Amino acid sequence: MGIKVENLLKKGFSLVAGEKGIDREIEGVYICDLLSWVMSHAKAKDAWITIQSHINVIAVALLSEISCVILPENVKLDEDAKAKAEEEGIPVLSFSGTSYEAAIILHEMMK
Amino acid sequence: MALYSKEFEVKARDFDSAGEVSSNLRAILKQLSLAPDIVRRSCIVCYEAEMNIIIHSYGGTIKIEIFEDRIRIIAEDTGPGIEDIELAMKEGYSTAPEEIREMGFGAGMGLPNIKANSDFMDIKSSKDGTVVVAEILF
Ligand SMILES: Nc1ncnc2c1ncn2[C@@H]1O[C@H](COP(=O)(O)OP(=O)(O)OP(=O)(O)O)[C@@H](O)[C@H]1O
Ligand SMILES: [Mg+2]
């Protein structure tokens, strides 16, 4: 089933930045904290789960055309990254559980 | 003759504007209505070259040239150079320091990513600097 970033907001994910992009579609999930690995392996329209929270994450998200960034375990987004996410309209969501738990929810929703 | 040509400065250790050249390139290519795959591959190449200048060099420039049939990305810096290019091209090889690895850099995937996403790649390096040239064909 096709889901959008905004659908996650009812499932325990909260929006930290990038509201402009919440109607983006999510077609897959990619979990990794190594940026050049993400650059080459994540697919367009993936939701990207990472504990990296600095400004470069937004650049990678933009360039690899992922749908949204998900920060698990309440990782906090850097202020300058937040500003960049707003500017580029890249949704960044916060989640209290682990990456694994976030991925399970996404999996259930995409079934 | 290039239809478009522009040079961007890239400063060493300037993580705050990291990705800016690549984001600029993305905007330009989107405007030209190039195929998404071409845009994506060009951006990966540019991003990795840009990050390598920021992380590993004393600073340099990235020049973007767009021709009728290709994009050329030329990343040039002023040193300290790559001692063993063959080793540097191997997946997983990285000399990035610990504090940079913690930010998620240093997977040793940058140069292999450039190679994989371009149709032509050339590296020349000495202690006075490194020049990486990559082309993506339309
Ligand atoms: N412009 C450069 N100047 C000097 N050394 C470089 C330069 N580019 C790459 N290198 C050397 O080559 C190695 C491999 O580069 P590569 O981009 O593949 O990986 P990385 O930058 O270490 O990690 P990643 O790109 O995955 O974040 C680097 O660790 C560094 O030693
Ligand atoms: Mg690199």
Side-chain angles (χ1 to χ4, degrees):
Chain A
M1 203 185 81
I3 65 164
K4 290 187 172 186
V5 175
E6 59 190 344
N7 300 137
L8 291 174
L9 302 179
K10 293 176 224 107
K11 299 277 181 180
F13 296 81
S14 51
L15 188 70
V16 180
E19 191 175 0
K20 270 190 284 181
I22 57 167
D23 63 345
R24 290 184 184 209
E25 282 167 29
I26 298 174
E27 290 181 356
V29 179
Y30 193 76
I31 310 180
C32 186
D33 300 320
L34 296 172
L35 304 182
S36 58
W37 202 269
V38 176
M39 268 315 269
S40 59
H41 296 287
K43 296 191 181 69
K45 298 195 179 175
D46 276 351
W48 173 25
I49 307 178
T50 178
I51 55 160
Q52 299 294 348
S53 54
H54 52 82
I55 191 163
N56 246 257
V57 167
I58 309 303
V60 170
L62 176 72
L63 296 169
S64 51
E65 301 187 346
I66 60 135
S67 312
C68 66
V69 177
I70 297 173
L71 303 175
E73 313 201 42
N74 291 324
V75 167
K76 221 172 155 281
L77 186 66
D78 290 358
E79 281 304 317
D80 54 354
K82 197 170 179 170
K84 178 95 173 164
E86 289 295 354
E87 183 192 325
E88 301 288 357
I90 294 182
V92 180
L93 309 175
S94 165
F95 183 70
S96 61
T98 63
S99 299
Y100 175 64
E101 288 158 352
I104 288 175
I105 295 176
L106 280 152
H107 176 74
E108 286 297 323
M109 290 173 74
M110 284 189 292
K111 261 189 197 164
Chain B
M1 250 271 295
L3 305 173
Y4 172 95
S5 168
K6 190 164 178 176
E7 193 170 281
F8 299 86
E9 194 191 343
V10 182
K11 296 201 188 83
R13 300 282 155 143
D14 182 13
F15 288 98
D16 289 348
S17 40
E20 222 154 74
V21 180
S22 318
S23 301
N24 269 311
L25 174 65
R26 181 170 178 270
I28 297 160
L29 298 184
K30 286 229 148 179
Q31 234 168 35
L32 293 174
S33 308
L34 290 168
D37 177 56
I38 298 285
V39 177
R40 192 181 152 86
R41 283 168 54 211
S42 304
C43 285
I44 292 175
V45 168
C46 187
Y47 175 81
E48 297 292 3
E50 185 180 356
M51 290 317 306
N52 279 353
I53 294 180
I54 292 174
I55 295 173
H56 305 294
S57 89
Y58 304 142
T61 56
I62 290 192
K63 191 171 179 189
I64 308 231
E65 294 179 338
I66 303 174
F67 299 87
E68 216 151 296
D69 62 342
R70 70 191 67 206
I71 297 169
R72 182 181 294 150
I73 295 165
I74 306 166
E76 198 163 358
D77 66 58
T78 54
I82 303 174
E83 213 163 289
D84 185 340
I85 293 177
E86 203 182 316
L87 188 60
M89 286 297 299
K90 288 215 167 90
E91 286 189 13
Y93 177 81
S94 174
T95 60
E98 186 53 36
E99 74 271 15
I100 284 174
R101 283 175 198 261
E102 274 168 18
M103 292 172 76
F105 302 108
M109 289 297 294
L111 293 175
N113 276 355
I114 295 176
K115 177 96 188 155
N117 285 285
S118 59
D119 297 293
F120 166 85
M121 177 188 184
D122 181 55
I123 309 186
K124 287 195 173 57
S125 191
S126 75
K127 64 176 181 12
D128 298 322
T130 300
V131 186
V132 178
V133 181
E135 289 184 356
I136 294 98
L137 306 181
F138 298 156

